[in-house]
Amino acid sequence: MKFAYRFSNLLGAVYRQGNLNFSKDGNAVISPVGNRISVFDLKNNSSETLPVSTTKNISCVGVSPDGNLAVVVDEDGAALLISLITRAVLHHFHFHKPVSSIRFSPDGRRFVVTKENVALMYHAPGKRREFNAFVLDKSYYGPYDETTCIDWTDDSKCFVVGSKDMSTWVFGAERWANLIYYSLGGHKDVIVGCFFEKDSLDLYTVSQDGTLCVWESDTELDGLVLRKTRDRPEDEEDEEEGTRTEGDQGEVIRGKVETPRERERTKNVRYKQISNISDQRITSVAINCSGDWIGFGCSRMGQLLVWEWQSESYVFKQQGHFNNMASLTYSPDGQYIVTGGDDGKVKVWNTNSGLCFVTFTEHTSSVTSVTFTSSGFVIVSASLDGTVRAFDLHRYRNFRTFTSPRPAQFSSLAVDVSGELVSAGAQDSFEIFLWSMQTGRLLEVLGGHEGPVSSLCFSPVQSILASASWDRTVRLWDMLDSWQVKETLPLTSDGLSVSYRPDGQELAVATLNGEISFWNPQTATQTGSVSGRHDLQTGRKETDKVTAKQTAKGKSFTSLCYSADGESILAGGQSKFVCIYNVKEQLLMKKFEISCNLSFDAMEEFLDRRKMTEFGSLALVDDGTGDGDGVNISLPGVRRGDMSSRHFKPEIRVSSLRFSPTGRSWAATTTEGLLVYSLDGSLVFDPYDLDLDVTPASIRKQLRLQDWASAVVLAFRLNENALKQEVLETVPHEQIPLVCSSLPDVYVEKLLGFVASCLEKSGHLQFYLTWTQNLLMLHGQKLKNRSGSILPTLQALQKSIQRHFDNLSKL
């Protein structure tokens, strides 16, 4: 198997912090999630994560009016200019200080950035080739505290800036003779949003306590008068004319207090406050171009909402797990992913749309493990609250709750192939509990382990349960023979994870000393081992007193998973890397770096010497009050205002790994969220049985001669996707049975796999279903004999057909 997997989507989190933006057509919302950007298509109900990432969490995003460019700024002030068409990074820039907001002007010629107490206006990058993509035009001073938000008038003449000092400032993009830059007061909390009315200088400002102030201007936009050059006041300094480069100061403009003499001399723009109302507390607001939809982001809950005010209903409502995700599993057809989190929620995600469509909230403590039954309609979850629950995906309800005679904290879970036996391991009583799914009754309590049961796994082909424990053993329990211990496998260290190969002929065990050992379950003999401690490559935490190299000696893999064909194994643990090993050769094939986000702890191998002082690391000094990304840990009895809130950095780790049954993707639950890696179809030229006369020209010649079968064979020998699709779609509908019957066996499986991938995206539904039906009918017996190796292909086929069935059945 070739591991040409690449990052394809981020699930499990929809919003972390920063501002929301709508696309140009208003049908998609662009949301920052950690150090990545997700685009949620509200019309087609799907999501996509862009293949670009910053080095720290994103603090703000600005999208150009034409929807082609985005400027993304992280917590340190490092900016990326991204093309939303090609999904590529065009330019890197550093503002050198944290940036709170960024906004393009409606005409697309400028953008304003707010950092500290200053607003900086830059020339926007255009279609012309420029040496400097970010050229500073003017710097505006006025607020006394940090600036927080920006909005422009529709004609790009003026912009408004909100501040933490509870004031709002209106500035001009040009020098307007009758617009003096002064502050608007009236709020009692930090300004979080300011909005101009359409084609007007009238203003709406919103503060963090939910107060909305409405400001009415006595002047229309047309009434602004351009100042003559000689009327320049003394308090506005100007730079020498000439070409400005990135990082130049630009023209400096300062806000001022209007004097009585100036008030008499000129008729200036004046504002008066006409009303204010109160509402709920909010974090980020965005309105789409038509004004029908309002997007809300809540960083504390990780929520993203889109509200249609006319119908008073939600167009879009998504929330990720509030805390870390602990486990995941794929449905048997690969269509859904289920995750369990430390917040006690079980969420079901659609792998095609990337959205969560049902959340189960019955658990009252952390969910430690989740799994599907073989039918694909029942989810089983284990929790530290002492219950194992079964959920029905038809009626979306909790129809079974399994408990133990004495309260126990369940840390592992497994369901047998029939879906009848449910087993869970306890971490405090060292026992394994067995229940019947049919009756819900406790069948047996399996004792014998002398340490917490860390992992359970049923054999895919027999009624045998494997349990790994901290007592340095793996026990194989026979479910048919009075639940007796069939074999005990001795380990060199504490067992952390156990997994059966899809054909049930091999067992992999991860232990505390960083090794993965492979066993034959029939003979109870060890067949090989991999030492993976050095492959984990852990980073150094800011509180660590020893180097990363020394820390790595205590690290190990905590999650294992075989690939769909059983040839390789995925392993992850307390590290930013996921390793893929070849089981037969016992070699490391590839390492995936799941994150490059420096907002997490233990990301770098060496501590930054610039932050080291004689008293310790400056990174440990808590300068925040928990108002950013930090999690607030409330004091007992404190309801409002938290004196204990602090900022902390979560440590990067992989808690669970699973391969999709289709073999096309794999997923990992990490500190960053649920990451899905898919096979990269664009990687390209991978011919099979190539010869000099196998060329696109010779294949098209066979098509002209109407020799369909040999054209198909030649196309699969060249193995170029576009050409294979062209050949298949040229074959007449009535010739399909004949072509299928004359295909050599070696190409039947390849054609079936290709038809499965085409069926997922193509609109030629009946055409590709005819290919599928004929291949299965004519070669069914031969395919059945090799069902083990072609199972991923069949499951990919089933997933594609099921998706089309679900879409059509709604019509």
Side-chain angles (χ1 to χ4, degrees):
M1 181 182 249
K2 294 177 178 60
F3 282 95
Y5 289 89
R6 62 179 173 87
F7 174 78
S8 67
N9 212 348
L10 170 66
L11 284 69
V14 290
Y15 174 78
R16 289 270 167 81
Q17 63 176 32
N19 62 312
L20 301 174
N21 286 274
F22 276 93
S23 61
K24 185 189 175 185
D25 60 5
N27 294 337
V29 67
I30 298 163
S31 168
V33 186
N35 70 331
R36 298 180 187 273
I37 293 176
S38 290
V39 181
F40 297 94
D41 189 333
L42 306 176
K43 282 278 173 79
N44 299 317
N45 204 35
S46 64
S47 75
E48 178 197 6
T49 304
L50 303 189
V52 290
S53 59
T54 55
T55 50
K56 286 207 168 178
N57 284 338
I58 293 168
S59 61
C60 56
V61 180
V63 178
S64 64
D66 58 6
N68 294 343
L69 294 175
V71 178
V72 177
V73 189
D74 72 11
E75 289 169 337
D76 282 351
L80 298 177
L81 178 64
I82 297 168
S83 165
L84 293 176
I85 298 169
T86 62
R87 311 294 202 239
V89 177
L90 306 177
H91 186 67
H92 291 260
F93 184 71
H94 211 299
F95 290 108
H96 301 296
K97 291 281 172 64
V99 169
S100 54
S101 57
I102 183 168
R103 181 66 72 91
F104 276 84
S105 63
D107 62 7
R109 291 172 55 201
R110 300 182 178 95
F111 67 88
V112 172
V113 169
T114 59
K115 67 172 187 180
E116 294 181 319
N117 66 333
V118 62
L120 305 169
M121 187 163 73
Y122 285 84
H123 290 291
K127 290 175 182 171
R128 291 179 294 108
R129 287 197 171 189
E130 294 162 321
F131 180 69
N132 301 317
F134 288 58
V135 179
L136 183 60
D137 183 21
K138 296 183 180 76
S139 302
Y140 295 85
Y141 290 89
Y144 296 100
D145 204 342
E146 283 181 40
T147 45
T148 55
C149 52
I150 314 163
D151 192 38
W152 285 84
T153 53
D154 288 343
D155 59 1
S156 305
K157 286 182 178 177
C158 302
F159 63 91
V160 61
V161 172
S163 168
K164 279 190 178 177
D165 66 4
M166 300 173 278
S167 68
T168 310
W169 292 75
V170 181
F171 292 112
E174 305 293 343
R175 293 171 168 277
W176 305 113
N178 56 340
L179 179 67
I180 284 188
Y181 309 142
Y182 61 95
S183 73
L184 309 173
H187 282 285
K188 297 175 184 174
D189 207 342
V190 176
I191 310 289
V192 292
C194 45
F195 305 94
F196 277 109
E197 201 170 286
K198 189 178 182 185
D199 298 324
S200 168
L201 277 169
D202 293 353
L203 261 180
Y204 299 89
T205 56
V206 185
S207 60
Q208 202 159 45
D209 59 2
T211 306
L212 169 72
C213 289
V214 184
W215 305 88
E216 196 176 62
S217 166
D218 63 355
T219 310
E220 292 299 317
L221 281 170
D222 302 340
L224 292 173
V225 181
L226 199 64
R227 178 180 290 157
K228 297 184 182 71
T229 324
R230 65 173 185 275
D231 292 347
R232 196 169 290 175
E234 302 144 14
D235 64 334
E236 292 186 3
E237 307 148 29
D238 203 354
E239 290 263 324
E240 287 181 16
E241 291 301 316
T243 310
R244 297 198 184 102
T245 59
E246 290 186 25
D248 272 359
Q249 174 79 21
E251 189 180 333
V252 175
I253 296 171
R254 299 186 186 281
K256 55 183 279 189
V257 178
E258 189 181 22
T259 63
R261 188 182 296 172
E262 285 171 330
R263 194 175 294 138
E264 289 163 17
R265 196 177 62 195
T266 57
K267 188 175 185 331
N268 293 324
V269 177
R270 286 190 186 83
Y271 281 95
K272 64 176 182 179
Q273 185 177 344
I274 59 172
S275 72
N276 73 65
I277 57 173
S278 185
D279 206 337
Q280 292 291 318
R281 189 168 177 149
I282 48 175
T283 308
S284 175
V285 183
I287 302 169
N288 79 336
C289 55
S290 63
D292 297 332
W293 294 345
I294 308 171
F296 298 98
C298 176
S299 63
R300 184 132 338 153
M301 298 296 292
Q303 243 179 0
L304 179 61
L305 313 167
V306 178
W307 173 261
E308 186 174 62
W309 60 271
Q310 288 166 319
S311 64
E312 296 189 1
S313 61
Y314 288 110
V315 175
F316 184 85
K317 190 177 183 181
Q318 288 281 301
Q319 181 179 350
H321 284 282
F322 176 53
N323 288 332
N324 288 337
M325 277 183 271
S327 58
L328 88 139
T329 186
Y330 269 96
S331 62
D333 60 1
Q335 199 142 311
Y336 307 123
I337 295 178
V338 175
T339 56
D342 289 348
D343 55 1
K345 291 188 173 74
V346 175
K347 286 181 170 284
V348 191
W349 306 82
N350 187 314
T351 54
N352 296 320
S353 68
L355 302 177
C356 170
F357 64 91
V358 64
T359 303
F360 299 107
T361 57
E362 280 79 3
H363 284 295
T364 55
S365 186
S366 297
V367 177
T368 52
S369 187
V370 287
T371 188
F372 262 98
T373 59
S374 53
S375 69
F377 299 117
V378 176
I379 300 163
V380 186
S381 63
S383 168
L384 295 181
D385 64 5
T387 63
V388 172
R389 295 176 184 267
F391 302 98
D392 177 6
L393 272 190
H394 283 309
R395 297 182 182 84
Y396 301 130
R397 64 191 178 103
N398 173 205
F399 70 94
R400 284 273 185 278
T401 303
F402 309 102
T403 55
S404 53
R406 291 184 307 280
Q409 292 188 310
F410 298 119
S411 58
S412 50
L413 175 73
V415 178
D416 78 333
V417 191
S418 66
E420 171 55 24
L421 282 177
V422 179
S423 68
Q427 65 180 25
D428 42 7
S429 66
F430 313 159
E431 294 168 327
I432 299 166
F433 298 87
L434 278 174
W435 296 274
S436 163
M437 180 71 84
Q438 209 82 49
T439 62
R441 293 180 60 182
L442 181 69
L443 300 174
E444 188 65 40
V445 179
L446 309 177
H449 278 298
E450 295 164 16
V453 179
S454 55
S455 181
L456 295 173
C457 186
F458 270 101
S459 166
V461 290
Q462 294 171 289
S463 285
I464 288 175
L465 174 68
S467 62
S469 166
W470 292 11
D471 63 5
R472 302 190 172 200
T473 63
V474 169
R475 291 172 185 249
L476 303 179
W477 310 81
D478 195 336
M479 298 290 104
L480 301 177
D481 185 15
S482 313
W483 300 300
Q484 297 296 315
V485 178
K486 186 184 170 200
E487 296 287 355
T488 302
L489 313 178
L491 304 174
T492 52
S493 186
D494 300 14
L496 300 180
S497 180
V498 63
S499 179
Y500 265 102
R501 201 166 69 186
D503 62 0
Q505 302 305 307
E506 190 175 71
L507 197 65
V509 185
T511 50
L512 192 61
N513 58 2
E515 281 193 2
I516 303 170
S517 52
F518 301 99
W519 300 77
N520 183 328
Q522 269 72 40
T523 59
T525 54
Q526 187 172 344
T527 56
S529 72
V530 170
S531 182
R533 183 182 287 154
H534 299 295
D535 300 329
L536 263 172
Q537 242 180 309
T538 52
R540 183 173 178 177
K541 289 200 285 184
E542 286 168 352
T543 50
D544 283 350
K545 303 291 186 216
V546 293
T547 61
K549 198 173 181 182
Q550 292 296 322
T551 320
K553 292 179 180 176
K555 300 288 183 182
S556 51
F557 294 117
T558 54
S559 181
L560 289 180
C561 172
Y562 273 97
S563 61
D565 58 5
E567 287 179 14
S568 33
I569 195 162
L570 273 170
Q574 291 166 302
S575 158
K576 61 176 178 178
F577 289 104
V578 170
C579 302
I580 297 189
Y581 293 96
N582 184 301
V583 177
K584 193 177 176 186
E585 305 292 337
Q586 291 168 19
L587 288 172
L588 177 69
M589 292 168 65
K590 186 157 182 164
K591 268 163 75 169
F592 291 94
E593 187 177 7
I594 55 167
S595 178
C596 58
N597 188 354
L598 298 180
S599 296
F600 292 127
D601 210 353
M603 284 296 293
E604 295 183 283
E605 200 174 339
F606 302 103
L607 291 184
D608 190 345
R609 291 287 167 203
R610 290 171 296 182
K611 291 183 180 175
M612 297 304 287
T613 66
E614 56 185 310
F615 305 107
S617 173
L618 287 174
L620 298 177
V621 177
D622 184 16
D623 55 358
T625 54
D627 59 347
D629 186 29
V631 172
N632 289 334
I633 303 160
S634 298
L635 287 170
V638 175
R639 284 175 182 246
R640 295 193 63 185
D642 190 356
M643 302 305 166
S644 71
S645 61
R646 291 292 180 269
H647 196 82
F648 87 110
K649 288 176 82 170
E651 186 185 347
I652 189 76
R653 65 191 297 267
V654 178
S655 53
S656 183
L657 286 165
R658 286 292 177 272
F659 232 102
S660 167
T662 62
R664 303 283 306 169
S665 62
W666 57 271
T669 52
T670 69
T671 318
E672 197 161 35
L674 171 60
L675 304 175
V676 181
Y677 286 78
S678 302
L679 267 180
D680 190 348
S682 63
L683 273 178
V684 16
F685 191 56
D686 180 21
Y688 172 82
D689 191 20
L690 196 60
D691 210 337
L692 280 173
D693 46 331
V694 180
T695 62
S698 64
I699 294 168
R700 290 189 176 99
K701 185 184 175 186
Q702 295 295 330
L703 287 177
R704 284 196 298 275
L705 295 171
Q706 298 189 355
D707 191 350
W708 313 116
S710 64
V712 169
V713 170
L714 288 173
F716 275 85
R717 281 175 67 182
L718 192 62
N719 209 12
E720 211 170 29
N721 282 346
L723 195 62
K724 287 192 286 188
Q725 190 168 348
E726 183 190 328
V727 169
L728 281 193
E729 292 180 3
T730 311
V731 176
H733 187 264
E734 64 279 359
Q735 293 291 325
I736 293 174
L738 187 64
V739 174
C740 289
S741 61
S742 57
L743 271 183
D745 291 346
V746 71
Y747 293 103
V748 171
E749 193 182 320
K750 290 179 184 297
L751 179 55
L752 199 60
F754 184 71
V755 167
S757 64
C758 284
L759 194 56
E760 199 168 357
K761 304 182 208 74
S762 176
H764 304 301
L765 193 55
Q766 187 187 355
F767 182 74
Y768 280 111
L769 283 174
T770 309
W771 275 106
T772 307
Q773 187 181 10
N774 281 289
L775 285 169
L776 293 175
M777 292 293 283
L778 295 165
H779 302 275
Q781 194 54 49
K782 289 172 185 168
L783 291 171
K784 193 176 179 182
N785 295 340
R786 302 180 50 238
S787 58
S789 62
I790 67 152
L791 189 62
T793 306
L794 293 175
Q795 281 170 328
L797 199 60
Q798 185 189 347
K799 178 185 173 183
S800 303
I801 294 169
Q802 185 66 41
R803 183 185 168 194
H804 283 297
F805 175 75
D806 291 344
N807 290 343
L808 288 170
S809 61
K810 290 173 188 170
L811 296 177

